[in-house]
Amino acid sequence: MNGKLIQTPDHWVDIERDWVTLDGKPLEKQELRYILLNKPKGYLTTYKDPENRPTVYDLIPGLGQFVGTVGRLDLDTSGLLLLTNDNALAEGMTNPVYKLEKTYLVKASTLLTDEQLTQLAKGVELSDGMTAPAIVKRDRDSEKYTFLEITIHEGRNRQVRRMVEAVGSKVLKLVRVRIGPLTLEGLQMGKWRDLEPAEVVKLRKLTRAKERS
Ligand code: URA
C-alpha cells in the first residue's frame, strides 16, 4: 500500500487516497452493479452446475465483474431475480428483519376455495415452522385451475410451492413479479437491465443498507 508491503489482512485502506497494488498490479475500486433479470424457467440460480445445465449467469455474459444472486428462484420458477456485488444491500434484502415483500403469480393445480386462500393468508404449517401472514388474492378461476397472487416477506426454500402444497394443491406455474419496488415491467423474458439509481436508493431505504463510501 502506497509502496509499502502490508502483511496484516485487516489493514485499513482509504480507497480514495491510498494506492494499492497486488503482485505489482494496481487494485481498482469495483463499480457497484445491480442487475435485474427476468429469469426464464429452466435456468439454475447457481454459478456453476456440475451437470452443466444452463444457469442464470449464461443470461448475463460479459459483465466483466462478478455479481451474486440475491436469494434464488427454483429451476422451474421464472421472473425477477436481482444480482449484485453490493454485499451490504444483498444482506439487507435477504434479512428477514426488513420484511421485503415479494409477489408471485401462481397457477394452482386445482380450484382453490376461499377457505384455502384464507389459510394461505393466515399462515400454514411447513416442516420448518408456520409461515408469516401473506397477502393472497384470487386473480381468476378457469374450469380446473385457480390463478392467484401471493405476497410474502419471508424467503424460505421453495416457500410458495410448499405453502400451496400445505393446503392440498400444487403449483403448476410460478412467476415472481415484484421484489419491493422492483417489477417486471418492460423487461422481456431472458433479458436484464441495470437498476436505475433511484431504485437502488429505494432498496437501500427499505433495507437500511448503508451506501459504500
Ligand atoms: N417460492 C418457491 O416455491 N419457489 C421459488 O422459486 C420462489 C419462491
Side-chain angles (χ1 to χ4, degrees):
M1 179 171 115
N2 304 323
K4 283 201 196 113
L5 180 65
I6 306 290
Q7 287 178 306
T8 43
D10 61 349
H11 191 90
W12 194 253
V13 174
D14 181 339
I15 206 87
E16 302 298 335
R17 284 182 19 219
D18 295 321
W19 179 64
V20 186
T21 57
L22 179 71
D23 296 338
K25 292 194 201 106
L27 284 192
E28 284 164 18
K29 184 171 160 181
Q30 273 222 359
E31 189 197 351
L32 292 178
R33 289 293 292 271
Y34 307 88
I35 306 295
L36 190 63
L37 172 70
N38 185 353
K39 174 195 168 307
K41 59 186 232 184
Y43 285 80
L44 287 164
T45 308
T46 184
Y47 186 60
K48 195 119 192 64
D49 179 45
E51 294 169 39
N52 267 324
R53 288 171 295 178
T55 80
V56 292
Y57 289 92
D58 294 327
L59 298 165
I60 53 164
L63 265 197
Q65 59 199 131
F66 181 76
V67 285
T69 63
V70 180
R72 40 178 57 230
L73 290 178
D74 303 334
L75 181 65
D76 284 337
T77 304
S78 63
L80 281 188
L81 184 70
L82 187 68
L83 299 99
T84 184
N85 55 357
D86 184 340
N87 294 333
L89 187 76
E91 274 161 32
M93 288 179 67
T94 47
N95 188 334
V97 165
Y98 299 124
K99 299 191 170 155
L100 189 66
E101 288 188 345
K102 275 100 38 181
T103 301
Y104 297 86
L105 299 185
V106 179
K107 178 183 179 184
S109 64
T110 56
L111 283 169
L112 297 177
T113 61
D114 285 348
E115 287 69 34
Q116 284 171 303
L117 298 193
T118 305
Q119 225 180 318
L120 283 172
K122 280 190 176 161
V124 291
E125 182 77 41
L126 300 182
S127 56
D128 48 1
M130 282 296 284
T131 58
I135 303 167
V136 178
K137 277 191 214 145
R138 184 191 303 277
D139 277 345
R140 66 189 172 90
D141 287 339
S142 70
E143 210 174 298
K144 291 203 219 144
Y145 311 114
T146 291
F147 294 81
L148 65 152
E149 209 175 289
I150 302 187
T151 300
I152 57 173
H153 56 72
E154 299 172 289
R156 301 196 220 164
N157 190 30
R158 298 184 68 255
Q159 181 164 346
V160 176
R161 291 177 197 274
R162 291 191 295 140
M163 285 170 72
V164 172
E165 280 162 23
V167 298
S169 186
K170 271 196 175 147
V171 168
L172 293 183
K173 191 172 173 196
L174 188 59
V175 186
R176 179 153 72 187
V177 293
R178 185 170 75 86
I179 306 172
L182 312 176
T183 70
L184 268 180
E185 204 186 312
L187 199 55
Q188 281 176 10
M189 181 77 82
K191 300 286 185 209
W192 63 271
R193 67 171 176 87
D194 284 286
L195 288 191
E196 302 290 340
E199 292 176 314
V200 178
V201 169
K202 280 188 200 161
L203 285 174
R204 284 215 179 100
K205 278 202 183 126
L206 286 170
T207 61
R208 319 278 196 283
K210 296 256 179 342
E211 191 168 357
R212 189 179 69 175
S213 59

